[in-house]
Amino acid sequence: MSTLAHTDIQYLSGVGPQRAEVLRKELNISTLNDLLYYFPYKHIDRSRLYYIHEIDGNMPYIQLRGKILSYETAGGGRKERTIAHFTDGTGIIDLVWFQYGKFIQKRYPLNKEFIVFGKPTVFGGRINIAHPDIDPADGLDISGMGLRPYYNTTERMKRMNLSSGGMEKLMRNLFGMLTEPIPETLPEYFVEEHHLMPLDEALRCMHFPENPEQLRRAEYRLKFEELFYIQLDILRYARMRQQKSQGLCFTVVGHLFNTFYNEKLPFPLTNAQKRVIREMRADMNSGRQMNRLLQGDVGSGKTLVALMVMLIAIDNGYQACIMAPTEILAEQHYATIRTLLEGLPVRVELLTGSVKGRRRAPILSGLQDGSVHLLIATHAVLEDTVSFAALGLVVVDEQHRFGVAQRAKLWSKNDFLPHVLVMTATPIPRTLAMTLYGDLDVSVIDELPPGRKPVFTEHRYDTQKASLYQFMCSQIDAGRQVYVVYPLIKESEKMDLKNLEDGYRTICEVFPDYAVSMVHGRLKPAEKEAEMQRFVSGETKIMVATTVIEVGVNVPNASIMVIQNAERFGLSQLHQLRGRVGRGADQSYCILVTSFKLTDDSRKRIDIMTRTTDGFEIAEADLRLRGPGDLEGTQQSGIAFDLHIANLARDGILLQHVRDIALRLLDDDPDESRPENRILWQQLRERRRTNVNWSAIS
Ligand code: ADP
Ligand code: MG
């Protein structure tokens, strides 16, 4: 491997300094090894011939054998096209070129046999193939062509004759040059045990497989390896941390927890809530630090779970803190928790940026002397002036709004590591959670409290405003409140703000009898708070806003969520927004308003939203539509998903499989000393040097 990894690409025959430069700039390929790992994006079976009467406009690439009957030139000027009428005796199809007309006619004369290859499409009611590959039929042995690789290339590469075909030639040169097998990157026993294709064979088959089955096995081997090393890295790190971090033992479930459970619970817990509380109780009494991610769809009752777990910490003589991403949310938690704990000897305090001066001092000293048991806070808690007597548990609500560094800062406020519970309503597909939060244990509340009516979701075009307003009016008359949400993104901020303000004015005109709030990110925090508060208290009936209301806000009386330009929102955002309604006993509605022009993807998103309210189903769909690199949560956590060949959306089962294998391996070889595994640890070190640090997330 090392010689390949160190041999400059320019020394490969067919490359040279100029092409080497282009390969480096365009594809980041600078060594032979880089080239080896530049895989084709697809293979096409060129051993099969189709008949024209078989084909339609929906087929992948196909191959035909026949003759050109005549040429025709259509359009004019820059739109000129050359069309060849091509037949194989079973029908006629058009071959189309948008350039090089004269050259084409000379190169492909009439009535000579050709093999034509390309993707059929329908245009103007006729089937045609644009810019096909054409070879003279005589002397061409199709059966030997097998699966041909197709490589992504760029315009600059094409100008250097490095189109897909050019890349294919380079690959053949490369393999021709290799006299020895490419060294294995997994232990031999391992390759055998897991029925993997050896690396040398796998790399060859990735480029030049003889059949689809070979290609599948080659891909499997490489995906396996890629995911395996990532999991091995994460799990190894997690073990090290567990060994290092002595956790606090919360041995008792005491007076507070029991009194609350028996006397204060406003409603029976759902089974899912009970289960996750049990999981966390076990964690906090295991002698190790708890590091748990609690996932639960919006409205699944995470706050109550957090509160009960915090009571266990207090029962054991420690303080607990719950951190919320916004002041509004912190205040809501404060109000909820105060009410729930009424009559219990727990001192609850709220610490946000607006708690200042005379109000702040006693809270800070109470935290220091331990008389404050439960703190509800925003980022304000991270300031250096804040310190605790004995912080035993930290709950982070809506975690993706907190950066890794910020969380680390909170942990460091103690001599010992507090238990950590991270809560999120952004459902993260299991496969992604395992990679993202590899060293976090995951608990899931997969059940909503009884009696919730699913939010009724409907798609409307923006030409149907009148009936929408009518509907809003009838709901407000019945005592409900309405959200109207507009998109706002940096790139089009001015336009977006204008839309929002126009929308606000229209709403005020249409509903002169009701007070209307408007909230957006440009407002000062205090103004924003005040407007939110007016809506929370019911003074205003309609809230016109950007996505600032996305996280956590709880106004049970709000029963309609209107999302303007819904096509511009991502799935998880739409789901979060919808989660703002449907919190009370009334039937709630979510109305997705779009223009007529919808891309395929936005139509799919709208369809999914109107079909299901299941957050996990939506998250899985999101992962499929967008790919993992784009998912909310992954961007904010700053991890690049530069998986080379595996795909988290599709390879979930394999990921689970390799995770189990990695766990077993760590059990079998805990001090990394077995000679047969030496290559594993060596590879791990090498990969860590070149890859992102997967494991620095917690
Ligand atoms: P989220 O998980 O989105 O943070 P919350 O904790 O805000 O959800 O809970 C949503 C609503 O459900 C709250 O009004 C809460 O009082 C209520 N709730 C929580 N648990 C239950 C339960 N077991 N039965 C009925 N209602 C519940
Ligand atoms: Mg919540």
Side-chain angles (χ1 to χ4, degrees), residues 297-298 401 425-426 455 457 483-488 543 545-553 558-566 568-583 588-592 609 632:
D297 213 339
V298 280
R401 305 280 154 146
T426 306
V455 179
T457 306
Y483 292 105
V484 182
V485 176
Y486 284 83
L488 186 128
M543 162 63 77
T546 57
T547 49
V548 288
I549 59 152
E550 190 184 325
V551 178
V553 177
S559 66
I560 306 186
M561 168 63 66
V562 178
I563 305 177
Q564 302 281 6
N565 293 114
R568 289 180 53 201
F569 290 88
L571 262 181
S572 83
Q573 248 183 336
L574 290 173
H575 181 64
Q576 282 289 317
L577 285 168
R578 180 167 60 184
R580 299 302 111 218
V581 295
R583 311 192 130 228
S588 292
Y589 304 87
C590 174
I591 294 150
L592 307 169
M609 286 298 293
E632 202 177 330

Side-chain angles (χ1 to χ4, degrees), residues 271-309:
N271 286 328
Q273 283 172 317
K274 284 186 200 160
R275 173 171 41 80
V276 300
I277 291 174
R278 267 200 307 275
E279 285 167 355
M280 287 183 244
R281 261 171 55 181
D283 278 2
M284 295 190 299
N285 194 20
S286 70
R288 286 190 283 104
Q289 182 203 19
M290 172 168 81
N291 250 293
R292 196 167 272 279
L293 177 72
L294 176 60
Q295 290 191 13
D297 213 339
V298 280
S300 61
K302 294 186 292 296
T303 317
L304 197 57
V305 168
L307 175 61
M308 295 185 68
V309 179

Side-chain angles (χ1 to χ4, degrees), residues 146 244 498 586 613:
K244 261 198 296 200
K498 187 173 171 303
D586 307 309
T613 52

Side-chain angles (χ1 to χ4, degrees), residues 433-665:
M434 274 196 320
T435 323
L436 253 184
Y437 308 105
D439 72 326
L440 260 68
D441 298 307
V442 180
S443 288
V444 181
I445 305 185
D446 50 5
E447 179 187 357
L448 289 179
R452 290 278 168 82
K453 296 194 188 84
V455 179
F456 183 81
T457 306
E458 214 181 23
H459 174 208
R460 299 270 183 96
Y461 292 109
D462 47 18
T463 47
Q464 301 165 296
K465 284 232 163 85
S467 68
L468 173 61
Y469 291 146
Q470 220 163 28
F471 179 59
M472 283 167 62
C473 195
S474 69
Q475 287 283 307
I476 299 173
D477 283 343
R480 312 280 129 69
Q481 288 165 280
V482 183
Y483 292 105
V484 182
V485 176
Y486 284 83
L488 186 128
I489 55 168
K490 277 243 166 53
E491 289 76 54
S492 52
E493 197 175 344
K494 270 209 185 119
M495 263 310 277
D496 287 350
L497 271 177
K498 187 173 171 303
N499 283 343
L500 175 82
E501 277 159 7
D502 289 350
Y504 172 72
R505 263 193 300 278
T506 311
I507 296 270
C508 290
E509 279 162 22
V510 178
F511 300 94
D513 299 338
Y514 301 122
V516 182
S517 281
M518 176 166 65
V519 169
H520 54 79
R522 282 283 187 85
L523 295 181
K524 295 206 181 75
E527 294 170 329
K528 206 155 67 184
E529 292 286 330
E531 276 304 297
M532 271 318 293
Q533 215 47 59
R534 280 186 352 124
F535 187 66
V536 172
S537 70
E539 186 189 332
T540 54
K541 299 297 177 198
I542 304 174
M543 162 63 77
V544 179
T546 57
T547 49
V548 288
I549 59 152
E550 190 184 325
V551 178
V553 177
N554 193 18
V555 184
N557 192 47
S559 66
I560 306 186
M561 168 63 66
V562 178
I563 305 177
Q564 302 281 6
N565 293 114
E567 69 271 28
R568 289 180 53 201
F569 290 88
L571 262 181
S572 83
Q573 248 183 336
L574 290 173
H575 181 64
Q576 282 289 317
L577 285 168
R578 180 167 60 184
R580 299 302 111 218
V581 295
R583 311 192 130 228
D586 307 309
Q587 175 64 54
S588 292
Y589 304 87
C590 174
I591 294 150
L592 307 169
V593 183
T594 73
S595 67
F596 271 110
K597 269 197 201 153
L598 289 178
T599 63
D600 272 1
D601 270 7
S602 33
R603 194 170 289 281
K604 274 185 202 145
R605 288 199 294 269
I606 305 281
D607 284 348
I608 290 161
M609 286 298 293
T610 51
R611 205 181 57 226
T612 180
T613 52
D614 179 330
F616 283 91
E617 196 180 329
I618 290 171
E620 297 282 355
D622 201 20
L623 189 58
R624 273 197 310 273
L625 280 179
R626 296 211 277 174
D630 234 14
L631 271 197
E632 202 177 330
T634 63
Q635 284 166 333
Q636 272 131 344
S637 61
I639 308 171
F641 271 82
D642 52 357
L643 285 176
H644 205 74
I645 175 161
N647 174 318
L648 291 178
R650 282 196 299 266
D651 300 322
I653 293 172
L654 179 58
L655 182 65
Q656 181 67 59
H657 180 58
V658 300
R659 186 177 171 85
D660 293 341
I661 293 171
L663 276 172
R664 239 180 297 139
L665 189 102

